[in-house]
Amino acid sequence: MKTLFLSTLTFLFTIGMYSQNKNVKSEEKIVKTTIKDSKGEKTIVKKEEVKEVQKIEFENPNSPKTNKDMKPTPVNVTTTKQVIVDGQTKYIDVDHSAYYNLDGVKYEIKADNSGYLILNNDKKKASGVLRKTSNNSYIFRNKNKVSVGYFDESGNLVLETYDPKTDSMIMEKYMVENK
C-alpha cells in the first residue's frame, strides 16, 4: 500500500515538472444559416478552425538568468474549413503551409492561388509546385519530374514518382517540422 501511494505521488510530481515546449493558439469560428425553400428547411453550418503552433526556444538557453529571451521561431498555421448541410459534411479544406524537411534540406510549402509552391529555404526560390486534383491528391511538378503527392495523417507530404528504368515507384517523404 505504501509503495502504491509513493508511486502515485512520484507520478503526479513528474507530470507537474513536465514543461510545455510549444505555444499553441486555436481559434474556431462557426456560422449557422437556416434556409427555407420549397423542399423545407435546411441548416448550413460553416466552421473554420485556425491553429497556430510555435516551438519555444531560448536565445541563450545556458545562461544563469531566470528570465530568458525567447528566440523567434517559425509559426505553423493550419486552417481547416468545413461546410455541413443537414448533418453531412460537404467540403473540408486543410491548409498545409509549413516548413518541411527532406534529406536534411529545409523546404517551405506556401499556399498560392492554384495550390502550393515548394520553396527551397536555402536558395529562397521555388523548387516546384503542387496542384490539387479532384480526388484530394496533388500533382507535383518541377524542372526534372512530375509526381503524384498526398499529405499523410501526420501532415507529411509524400511524393510518388514513376521510374521508367526500373518500372517501379519511388517515394519521397517531406517531414513536417515543429509538430
Side-chain angles (χ1 to χ4, degrees), residues 62-73:
N62 298 328
S63 75
K65 290 182 9 180
T66 303
N67 296 327
K68 299 180 182 184
D69 293 328
M70 204 169 103
K71 181 180 182 182
T73 57

Side-chain angles (χ1 to χ4, degrees), residues 6 33 76 86 129 131 145 148 150 165:
L6 290 175
T33 308
N76 290 335
D86 290 334
V129 294
R131 299 297 180 237
K145 67 180 176 181
V148 176
Y150 59 91
K165 294 176 185 173

Side-chain angles (χ1 to χ4, degrees), residues 4 14 18 37 49 51 53 94 103 122 127 143-145 176:
L4 178 65
T14 56
Y18 176 75
D37 61 5
E49 181 182 7
K51 186 175 182 180
V53 178
V94 178
D103 298 331
D122 297 334
S127 62
K143 293 179 188 176
N144 304 325
K145 67 180 176 181
V176 68

Side-chain angles (χ1 to χ4, degrees), residues 15-179:
I15 288 176
M17 292 187 326
Y18 176 75
S19 63
Q20 181 179 357
N21 59 358
K22 292 181 184 179
N23 281 336
V24 179
K25 177 183 169 188
S26 184
E27 181 180 318
E28 190 171 283
K29 185 175 19 172
I30 299 174
V31 178
K32 275 188 173 181
T33 308
T34 304
I35 299 173
K36 292 181 182 179
D37 61 5
S38 61
K39 296 179 184 177
E41 238 180 58
K42 290 184 180 179
T43 303
I44 299 173
V45 179
K46 294 179 183 178
K47 180 179 172 184
E48 180 176 317
E49 181 182 7
V50 178
K51 186 175 182 180
E52 298 177 3
V53 178
Q54 181 181 22
K55 189 174 181 181
I56 297 174
E57 293 181 13
F58 296 117
E59 284 194 21
N60 191 359
N62 298 328
S63 75
K65 290 182 9 180
T66 303
N67 296 327
K68 299 180 182 184
D69 293 328
M70 204 169 103
K71 181 180 182 182
T73 57
V75 178
N76 290 335
V77 180
T78 305
T79 304
T80 307
K81 297 177 186 176
Q82 294 180 338
V83 177
I84 303 169
V85 179
D86 290 334
Q88 284 189 317
T89 302
K90 298 288 186 177
Y91 179 74
I92 298 174
D93 186 23
V94 178
D95 184 7
H96 294 284
S97 297
Y99 290 96
Y100 292 79
N101 194 336
L102 175 69
D103 298 331
V105 179
K106 189 173 184 178
Y107 294 92
E108 179 181 5
I109 294 184
K110 190 182 235 181
D112 71 349
N113 293 337
S114 306
Y116 294 100
L117 292 175
I118 298 181
L119 305 171
N120 185 331
N121 215 28
D122 297 334
K123 298 177 185 171
K124 298 289 185 195
K125 54 163 76 162
S127 62
V129 294
L130 282 173
R131 299 297 180 237
K132 191 167 186 171
T133 64
S134 60
N135 62 352
N136 287 334
S137 62
Y138 292 84
I139 294 176
F140 169 80
R141 185 177 152 271
N142 68 5
K143 293 179 188 176
N144 304 325
K145 67 180 176 181
V146 175
S147 304
V148 176
Y150 59 91
F151 290 94
D152 65 10
E153 62 276 348
S154 301
N156 301 317
L157 173 62
V158 179
L159 293 180
E160 296 181 6
T161 308
Y162 175 71
D163 184 5
K165 294 176 185 173
T166 61
D167 193 31
S168 63
M169 298 298 287
I170 299 171
M171 288 184 62
E172 294 176 300
K173 187 182 266 193
Y174 289 74
M175 304 296 287
V176 68
E177 292 186 353
N178 293 333
K179 270 217 155 186

